[in-house]
Amino acid sequence: LQEVTASSRHYVDRLFDLDPQKVLQGVIDMKNAVIGNNKQKANLIVLGAVPRLLYLLQQETSSTELRTECAVVLGSLAMGTENNVKSLLDCHIIPALLQGLLSPDLKFIEACLRCLRTIFISPVTPEDLLYTDATVISHLMALLSRSRYTQEYICQIFSHCCKGPDHQTILFNHGAVQNIAHLLVSTSYKVRMQALKCFSVLAFENPQVSMTLVNVSVDGELLPQIFVKMLQRDKPIEMQLTSAKCLTSMCRAGAIRTDDPCIVLKTLPCLVRMCSKDRLLEERVEGAETLAYLIETDVELQRMASITDHLIVMLADYFKYPSSVSAITDIKRLDHDLKHAHELRQAAFKLYASLGANDEDIRKKIIETENMMDRIVNGLSESSIKVRLAAVRCLHSLSRSVQQLRTSFQDHAVWKPLMKVLQNAPNEILVVASSTLCNLLLEFSPSKEPILESGAIELLCSLTQSENLALRVNGIWALMNMAFQAEQKIKSDILRGLSTEQLFQLLSDSDVNVLMKTLGLLRNLLSTRPHIDHIMSTHGKQIMQAVTLILEGEHNIEVKEQTLCILANIADGTTAKELIMTNDDILQKIKYYMSHSNAKLQLAAMFCISNLIWNEEEGSQERQDKLRDMGIVDILHKLSQSSDPNLCDK
Amino acid sequence: GWDKHSYGYHGDDGHSFCSSGTGQPYGPTFTTGDVIGCCVNLINNTCFYTKNGHSLGKFVFLPSQSNLYPTVGLQTPGEIVDANFGQQPFVFDIEDYMREWRAKIQSTIKRFPIGDRLGEWQAMLQNMVSSYLVHHGYCSTATAFARVTDTTIQEEQTSIKNRQRIQKLVLAGRVGEAIEATQQLYPGLLEHNPNLLFMLKCRQFVEMVNGTDSEVRCFSARSPRSQDSYPGSPSLSPRHGSSNSHVHSTGADSPTCSNGVLSTKSKQSHSKYPTLSSSSSSSSSSSPSSVNYSESNSTDSTKSQQHSSTSNQETSDSEMEMEAEHYPNGVLENSSTRIMNGTYKHEEILQTDESSMEDSCPQRQLCGGNHAATERMIQFGRELQILSEQLCREYGKNTMHKKMLQDAFSLLAYSDPWNCPVGQQLDPIQREPVCAALNSAILESQNLPKQPPLMLALGQASECLRLMARVGLGSCSFARVDDYLH
């Protein structure tokens, strides 16, 4: 080490000279020595040049020229390896540079900003460092007017340090939109580009920013129009892609309609082009991800994308990396391919998921793409979580097709890897995977049987106990699907697996969805007479309790309706009937709902009565008498005069 | 799409057919109300269809010798199809697509490797500029350029100045003096180029009608120069029948071409010319442009030599290129000398010109309105007729000569020659091809290139693009020469 650093030592020594002029010359020589020389940079850092440079930079007595040169050298050091940046951060370079921004000298400010920019775009720098002092952001906003260099560097810092809604809100509240908008028409390409990037991160999944952007104009032109101009095909790809991201965010936030020509005829085709083979791998990933986001919830956009430039076939190429030729011919290329292979695959899965979200024809086209199901199945077991998640999402999207559930899903035994994914997966994967499982458990799905055999009930029951709401919903939803028209054994297994306590827990869940699906499960469990009687004989007391509780509680119409339907099912049982007939409280409630203002609830209550008094059954006369005593016949008479469906009774 | 050399996209199954009865799955089906488009890209030989403004994906398209015709097949009677060939905006953004390709082609050109070895490229560019300046006689500019770039000029100073002087005379309409000077400075030149001489004399006749040639001007009150010593038409006895030099082709080879060029130019000069008599300052400001025109036409002659039959469109192409041609001049020389130079020389001539016109004839009159001058003109016309007959005997009939003579003489048939069907000849612009031809002939006689390499390169580039267009290489449409001339 000594030998290596010896030649660099005199550079550092000169920083301590008593003559300021010699110090300045020393810094300038150091600047020339380190440019493009990583070894020299590392040496100087080891020899402790950084603290001294920072000292000189902060010293009020230093000349502006010296301070500027110090900032330049520090910026040069930051350009080196990630370790360099770490060393600089350890010396608290950021506060020192931020302090420097208060100087009146523009050249010095620019040098500080340039160095800050280099540090902040490094992946090792925590972006939170920008937000520790609230005055920093407003000062940076003010510096935006100083020169094209301050504009470029500050925009670049913002776009790299804006991660998540908190940062977006801070920047937004400091007037980022107004301060940066006019930079979109700057004469400098770099400034335009960095400003555009700023907007793409500010608006990403942020409705507040997106809604604001749509009404901002620069030189009489609205921002969406400016973005559309930046989409033109002769503009640099980076610019096209970034402005497409801005427009996508604005569209998803509802600021631009999905049928607006600037989305339909400009943004969407532009993003499809970004997926083409001519583009770089990074661009293809970003293009596909952005497009997936754009069309995720709009079936018309999905249809348009699906016919544009053979997108579905084009995406199949995303799975061909690393390509077989590259391995032999070019190691560098192989490395490049490998690095992007995961990203490409997950991007393709995401886009397929969006494309097939709603339209049956598109799903069919996707599945007919070469080796598609195999690719998904492989994707489910990849090591990369991102790929697995995207593959599950894709599978989920495709599982909405009845036809595919019956054919290709069965042919490829998709349930096997899916069940595997569900074991010990992180929550984000579990949510989508369990949701897919819901579809695979639909009664017409041929996968239902094998899934049950592989221990799905246990798994789903455990999901219902999850802290995660979405997992609880999916768990109970899947159980509900499973119970639909199931055989006695399955129903008993579900009840046993879930336990009555858990069932009650779910019935008192704060989330309506969970409650609804649990009631749905109960209703599915309580179907066909022998099942009803069997279940009610074992769990009758608890179920009646739960029903009473819900009918008394503050719930919405749908919940009450579902509960009344459960009662109607119970009333259909042979022995189970008695549980209602002997419960005056319940009978009063049914009576109450018969005269409820909501027709759906009336109808559901009517089903209960109708099942109770069904003539062909034993003891129907007694039940009719009892109900007549309660004054239900009068209500029936009233109802028969009012609306139509009730006429069938009596 | 079923037949040979045909392509189709079928609405019933969404298949694409490429000269075959069996189609490939291609796009969605389409029906009533859909807008279907087709784009053929001759640069990369691909094609794609569009539905309602969305590109459906490209496929390989094999160019055939035969032309393509848009066709729509209908199945049910009573169906209605609207065809749009661009009279309305297209739903698909074809402009944007073309922008992309234009940018692609231009970046290919920009990134074309020039293989620079030790400043060879720069030296070549400097030589191009220098030779161009020398060719057109921008003597001071050329010297300044040579000094700055540390290069040498092949031709001698005096030679350049001589050519410059002769050119000035022709451009000022003093063709008689130009002939005289040429004979003095380059003895034998015109004798070896009877066609050039004939052309000059025809021009001289026209200038006599115009009242600008010194032979008729000497009759007016105040003449700038004495013309007593004019020897009359030299006796011509060319010993070696010099073959058709380029001079001849210039004049008459491609009437369409020069017409196309001139129609626009004469418009400009018409508007400028009358101002000449009103103030000298305006004349000096307009004169540089006339210099440019002279350059233009010299290239024009280059062009017309290379390809005699040119369509209208091509003409307009070359015209654009010509007009822009003077720009690189201004850009490449960084001194203002050239502008001063150009302005100065014309000022000098045009001023004298103009003062005599002002004096003698406020309105344009035949031969300046002087009777003796008219007599002289008529006599000159007879000599010209004799010369023509003589040439005819020696070299056989020459239709171009006949046409030139006829046009020139026709001027006399009208009371106001400036406003007659052949009046265009009187336009000073018409001096330029003559001037260029003479200049080239002089250079050739000195064993120097008759065209500057810059013009040769330009002509080569234009011709190359034209050839590309002829054989259907689409990229030529996005690589116009004039895109690079500013």
Side-chain angles (χ1 to χ4, degrees), chain A residues 392-572:
Chain A
V392 176
R393 276 174 65 175
C394 182
L395 190 66
H396 175 238
S397 200
L398 298 175
S399 72
R400 292 188 187 143
S401 156
V402 177
Q403 195 200 342
Q404 299 311 330
L405 281 179
R406 288 196 173 135
T407 54
S408 31
F409 274 58
Q410 188 57 17
D411 297 343
H412 290 84
V414 169
W415 62 271
K416 272 190 203 162
L418 184 66
M419 286 302 287
K420 225 170 141 190
V421 165
L422 279 161
Q423 319 287 336
N424 305 319
N427 275 359
E428 49 178 351
I429 289 188
L430 274 183
V431 171
V432 195
S434 54
S435 190
T436 314
L437 199 61
C438 285
N439 291 340
L440 288 169
L441 285 170
L442 288 168
E443 53 88 25
F444 50 78
S445 161
S447 313
K448 191 175 173 178
E449 281 298 310
I451 291 177
L452 282 172
E453 283 163 22
S454 63
I457 293 178
E458 200 183 332
L459 182 98
L460 292 171
C461 288
S462 71
L463 285 184
T464 63
Q465 296 175 29
S466 166
E467 293 279 306
N468 184 307
L469 171 63
L471 284 182
R472 287 205 302 280
V473 174
N474 286 344
I476 195 71
W477 194 340
L479 286 172
M480 180 184 95
N481 285 350
M482 197 187 269
F484 183 74
Q485 292 184 4
E487 52 192 89
Q488 174 90 45
K489 182 180 175 303
I490 295 173
K491 288 183 178 174
S492 317
D493 286 350
I494 292 176
L495 264 176
R496 197 176 318 115
L498 205 55
S499 84
T500 33
E501 288 123 74
Q502 178 61 15
L503 196 65
F504 277 103
Q505 193 71 43
L506 291 168
L507 285 174
S508 52
D509 200 290
S510 57
D511 185 79
V512 182
N513 257 324
V514 175
L515 179 56
M516 278 298 283
K517 300 304 175 207
T518 314
L519 291 172
L521 168 66
L522 266 179
R523 198 175 153 188
N524 284 348
L525 289 173
L526 292 167
S527 73
T528 73
R529 206 160 287 157
H531 293 180
I532 296 169
D533 288 337
H534 176 80
I535 290 169
M536 288 313 281
S537 69
T538 50
H539 298 84
K541 207 173 149 199
Q542 294 94 323
I543 290 174
M544 290 309 285
Q545 255 175 13
V547 167
T548 318
L549 222 66
I550 289 168
L551 287 179
E552 280 171 358
E554 293 280 325
H555 291 290
N556 64 26
I557 304 287
E558 281 75 30
V559 171
K560 301 242 160 147
E561 184 194 5
Q562 190 76 302
T563 316
L564 286 171
C565 287
I566 291 172
L567 271 181
N569 281 11
I570 296 172
D572 192 34

Side-chain angles (χ1 to χ4, degrees), chain A residues 231-234 264-266 268-269 273 278-279 304 307-310 365, chain B residues 26 28 51-58 91-93 96-97 99-100 103:
Chain A
L231 275 185
Q232 285 180 352
R233 296 168 78 144
D234 55 348
V264 177
L265 292 172
K266 303 281 180 187
L268 185 140
R273 284 200 302 277
D278 308 335
R279 301 274 67 86
M304 259 173 279
I307 61 162
T308 302
D309 288 339
H310 297 132
K365 268 209 259 177
Chain B
Y26 172 72
K51 179 180 169 180
N52 300 325
H54 287 275
S55 156
L56 302 177
K58 64 182 180 192
V91 187
F92 175 76
D93 196 346
D96 202 23
Y97 182 73
R99 262 198 291 270
E100 181 184 356

Side-chain angles (χ1 to χ4, degrees), chain A residues 140-142 144-145 151 154-155 158 168-186 191 195 198-199 202 208-219 221-223 226-227:
Chain A
L140 287 174
M141 291 290 174
L144 274 175
S145 58
Q151 291 168 351
I154 292 171
C155 285
F158 284 164
Q168 287 172 335
T169 309
I170 293 173
L171 292 174
F172 179 76
N173 289 340
H174 278 91
V177 172
Q178 285 70 25
N179 281 316
I180 298 174
H182 69 277
L183 303 182
L184 287 173
V185 295
S186 161
V191 173
C198 260
F199 282 123
L202 279 172
Q208 187 191 22
V209 175
S210 299
M211 294 302 285
T212 310
L213 286 185
V214 81
N215 293 317
V216 174
S217 62
V218 180
D219 294 349
E221 224 176 345
L222 286 167
L223 283 196
I226 293 176
F227 290 144

